[in-house]
Amino acid sequence: AALRYQQKNRTYLQRATQLGFGFLPFVLESTGFIYANSDKLLQDLAAAAEAVKMIPQATLYAYFLKRISVCLQKNLAQAINRRIFDVLSHSTLATDPTFHYQMIVGS
């Protein structure tokens, strides 16, 4: 996660600074691990939102984590389904004239 954080900074920080913006990478692994700086961002967002929404920081932070978890799980499932579909739909054995079952089992 630290390596990916550094890679994102190298790629985007200078460009964002040149345009007058700040940049803070958000790194989330496919296992659900949140990089420490990304976790701190979520905690800071929860603290700032507490004053506006009048909802306790701990509640907002827990909501953010649950929301990210659900989105991650949903998108991982979609990626798996897409991959399965791609593998199955590109299986040409059923229509390949050089691979006919009668050639294998005999007539």
Side-chain angles (χ1 to χ4, degrees):
L3 177 63
R4 191 68 183 121
Y5 187 87
Q6 292 168 357
Q7 288 173 337
K8 285 186 175 196
N9 259 333
R10 275 195 304 273
T11 303
Y12 301 109
L13 181 61
Q14 183 180 3
R15 190 178 320 165
T17 305
Q18 289 172 345
L19 295 171
F21 296 103
F23 178 75
L24 180 63
F26 191 90
V27 177
L28 173 69
E29 293 185 1
S30 60
T31 60
F33 175 77
I34 300 176
Y35 185 62
N37 291 4
S38 301
D39 188 60
K40 183 176 178 341
L41 173 65
L42 290 177
Q43 291 179 20
D44 291 347
L45 287 172
E50 177 181 33
V52 176
K53 296 292 185 179
M54 301 300 181
I55 300 171
Q57 177 182 348
T59 303
L60 290 168
Y61 176 71
Y63 171 78
F64 293 158
L65 290 179
K66 289 176 186 176
R67 182 73 177 155
I68 289 170
S69 175
V70 168
C71 289
L72 176 64
Q73 291 174 49
K74 175 185 169 193
N75 285 291
L76 284 173
Q78 287 177 344
I80 291 168
N81 283 335
R82 268 194 308 275
R83 180 66 181 140
I84 290 171
F85 176 78
D86 288 347
V87 167
L88 294 178
S89 67
H90 288 99
S91 176
T92 58
L93 293 180
T95 58
D96 186 352
T98 61
F99 184 81
H100 195 273
Y101 75 94
Q102 288 180 343
M103 298 298 282
I104 295 173
V105 295
S107 34

